[in-house]
Amino acid sequence: MVKCMRFEQIRDYGLSIGYSHVGVAPVESLSGFADEIMSRGDEYDFFLKMLTRSVQKRVPEAKSIIVLVWDYFQHDYPEALQEIIGKLYLSRCFVAPPGYVSHARLKLMTDFLASSGMSLDADPYFLPSRWVGAKAGIVDIGKNTFAYTNDSGSYISLNTIVVDQEFEYGHQATATKCPPNCSVCIDACPTKALYAPFRLDPQKCIAFNNFMTQDKNGFAPSFIPDELRASIGCKIHGCDICQDVCPRNQKKLKQPKPRDNYIEEKAPTITLSNILNMSDDFYDQTINAILYNYKVDKRFLMRNAALAMGNSKDERYMDDLVAAMEHPDALVREYAAWALEQIKGG
């Protein structure tokens, strides 16, 4: 027998397993999202290819969207790693595969919902979680396009779950809490992907060029445009620049946090040299245990490491890059050659 579950029960359970906020919005809250995306011109062409399946096709009787907020910045990480990898990925919460804590937490929530007989879908790539979170009243959108909460700033990861049950909603969409005249995130963006308040050209974003450019189902080619390469700097997997400069995040940044023992132990081995020259064992046991996005092919992360070496202008990387010129993969050789030119040119 199907029993109706009150939202208060869902919220309490979500908080009990570690989520910092739990909200709900009607499926109708998606209205207007596709129009907004299409209004941005060709900036989001790649994303429109992902929006090919309607909510109703995934959950035929879809009524509501549950939004879960996870505070991922609960530990401090070595500065050297934060220079090349975003904190979201060091926290190992983003689209975690089976066998990892973040995957288990989401599975606990979906099992809890399913126990009442609900039909549901929790595909992490399926819904615009920031948009829905704002409609649910548990986040607001900053000028850098990130979702914010009062306690965690923008260092949050969101999951959405579509269910076939209605709830009492009662929440109003949350307006931005960014200071009216603040533009520090826009000014700090090295690739100018952020070009106006609440406006991002994703194909210029460092994170996009780090890991979406993997020839994934035709969404984006593996080529990183020449005009962006120098601006990417030494970032090989994600970028926190627009978040770290944000006044709304300073309280969270300055809060004392414990060290992450796992990352501390791995940190000395996660270097640009080791990544460019990584063996399959190093990839499987160290890199793929953190950067889940690269589980398909390590060659793109090797490409990123070469690019970062070139942007560092550090002559200590010359031997690594010269060796990479003999790599059997043409992609790795191409970016190693580019990096050598940057270092030689000084």
Side-chain angles (χ1 to χ4, degrees), residues 209 213-215 220-224 299-300 303 331 335:
N209 284 279
T213 51
Q214 295 189 50
D215 297 314
S222 61
F223 180 76
I224 298 177
R299 63 199 287 261
F300 300 103
R303 170 201 65 185
L331 182 74
Y335 283 81

Side-chain angles (χ1 to χ4, degrees), residues 3 23 49 68 70 91 123 130-131 149 168 171 210 243 264 286 288 325 333 340:
K3 60 179 181 179
K49 297 174 185 177
L68 309 167
W70 174 254
S91 74
D123 185 336
R130 299 174 189 179
W131 175 283
T149 64
E168 291 184 10
H171 295 292
N210 281 166
Q243 297 186 84
E264 289 288 332
T286 299
N288 202 24
M325 291 297 296
R333 296 196 303 271
L340 284 168

Side-chain angles (χ1 to χ4, degrees), residues 154-264:
S154 63
Y155 302 110
I156 56 176
S157 177
L158 284 75
N159 286 111
T160 54
I161 305 175
V162 177
V163 298
D164 62 347
Q165 181 178 317
E166 292 182 336
F167 300 94
E168 291 184 10
Y169 304 107
H171 295 292
Q172 300 295 321
T174 304
T176 187
K177 297 178 182 177
C178 288
N181 298 319
C182 184
S183 63
V184 293
C185 59
I186 299 168
D187 298 338
C189 180
T191 61
K192 304 307 175 186
L194 280 171
Y195 59 90
F198 315 107
R199 292 292 184 270
L200 171 77
D201 182 344
Q203 296 178 65
K204 290 183 178 179
C205 180
I206 289 175
F208 179 96
N209 284 279
N210 281 166
F211 47 73
M212 288 299 289
T213 51
Q214 295 189 50
D215 297 314
K216 287 186 174 180
N217 300 318
F219 292 150
S222 61
F223 180 76
I224 298 177
D226 291 335
E227 64 271 17
L228 293 180
R229 294 183 185 184
S231 299
I232 289 173
C234 295
K235 306 294 186 184
I236 65 169
H237 194 84
C239 173
D240 290 331
I241 291 173
C242 69
Q243 297 186 84
D244 288 348
V245 300
C246 176
R248 298 179 63 188
N249 280 331
Q250 297 314 301
K251 179 180 177 181
K252 182 66 174 177
L253 276 167
K254 295 172 183 176
Q255 284 176 353
K257 305 173 192 69
R259 295 285 185 178
D260 184 314
N261 291 335
Y262 176 78
I263 293 295
E264 289 288 332

Side-chain angles (χ1 to χ4, degrees), residues 18-300:
Y19 292 106
S20 58
H21 300 273
V22 181
V24 65
V27 165
E28 289 74 22
S29 65
L30 291 172
S31 175
F33 177 74
D35 290 341
E36 177 64 26
I37 291 297
M38 288 187 283
S39 74
R40 306 292 181 91
D42 59 3
E43 292 175 1
Y44 285 82
D45 278 353
F46 78 98
F47 187 69
L48 289 173
K49 297 174 185 177
M50 301 170 69
L51 298 178
T52 58
R53 296 169 292 182
S54 70
V55 173
Q56 283 70 29
K57 287 182 179 179
R58 300 294 294 265
V59 181
E61 301 299 324
K63 298 290 193 302
S64 304
I65 305 169
I66 294 168
V67 188
L68 309 167
V69 177
W70 174 254
D71 175 352
Y72 66 76
F73 193 12
Q74 300 183 34
H75 293 87
D76 269 333
Y77 303 108
E79 196 62 37
L81 283 189
Q82 291 192 57
E83 288 297 318
I84 62 174
I85 300 172
K87 290 183 274 291
L88 171 64
Y89 311 105
L90 293 173
S91 74
R92 301 165 332 270
C93 74
F94 185 66
V95 295
Y100 291 83
V101 172
S102 290
H103 183 277
R105 184 181 301 106
L106 182 59
K107 182 67 164 54
L108 284 171
M109 176 57 83
T110 56
D111 286 351
F112 178 74
L113 297 172
S115 69
S116 72
M118 290 185 198
S119 293
L120 56 90
D121 191 294
D123 185 336
Y125 290 117
F126 178 43
L127 291 176
S129 57
R130 299 174 189 179
W131 175 283
V132 180
K135 296 291 185 180
I138 58 172
V139 304
D140 72 279
I141 307 301
K143 292 180 180 180
N144 58 6
T145 76
F146 280 89
Y148 282 74
T149 64
N150 291 336
D151 47 1
S152 302
S154 63
Y155 302 110
I156 56 176
S157 177
L158 284 75
N159 286 111
T160 54
I161 305 175
V162 177
V163 298
D164 62 347
Q165 181 178 317
E166 292 182 336
F167 300 94
E168 291 184 10
Y169 304 107
H171 295 292
Q172 300 295 321
T174 304
T176 187
K177 297 178 182 177
C178 288
N181 298 319
C182 184
S183 63
V184 293
C185 59
I186 299 168
D187 298 338
C189 180
T191 61
K192 304 307 175 186
L194 280 171
Y195 59 90
F198 315 107
R199 292 292 184 270
L200 171 77
D201 182 344
Q203 296 178 65
K204 290 183 178 179
C205 180
I206 289 175
F208 179 96
N209 284 279
N210 281 166
F211 47 73
M212 288 299 289
T213 51
Q214 295 189 50
D215 297 314
K216 287 186 174 180
N217 300 318
F219 292 150
S222 61
F223 180 76
I224 298 177
D226 291 335
E227 64 271 17
L228 293 180
R229 294 183 185 184
S231 299
I232 289 173
C234 295
K235 306 294 186 184
I236 65 169
H237 194 84
C239 173
D240 290 331
I241 291 173
C242 69
Q243 297 186 84
D244 288 348
V245 300
C246 176
R248 298 179 63 188
N249 280 331
Q250 297 314 301
K251 179 180 177 181
K252 182 66 174 177
L253 276 167
K254 295 172 183 176
Q255 284 176 353
K257 305 173 192 69
R259 295 285 185 178
D260 184 314
N261 291 335
Y262 176 78
I263 293 295
E264 289 288 332
E265 186 174 295
K266 294 290 186 182
T269 67
I270 304 176
T271 64
L272 296 180
S273 292
N274 284 349
I275 291 172
L276 180 62
N277 298 296
M278 63 181 157
S279 64
D280 288 343
D281 283 345
F282 179 74
Y283 173 64
D284 291 336
Q285 296 175 19
T286 299
I287 298 303
N288 202 24
I290 299 171
L291 308 182
Y292 312 128
N293 304 50
Y294 285 98
K295 60 189 176 186
V296 176
D297 198 328
K298 67 182 183 182
R299 63 199 287 261
F300 300 103

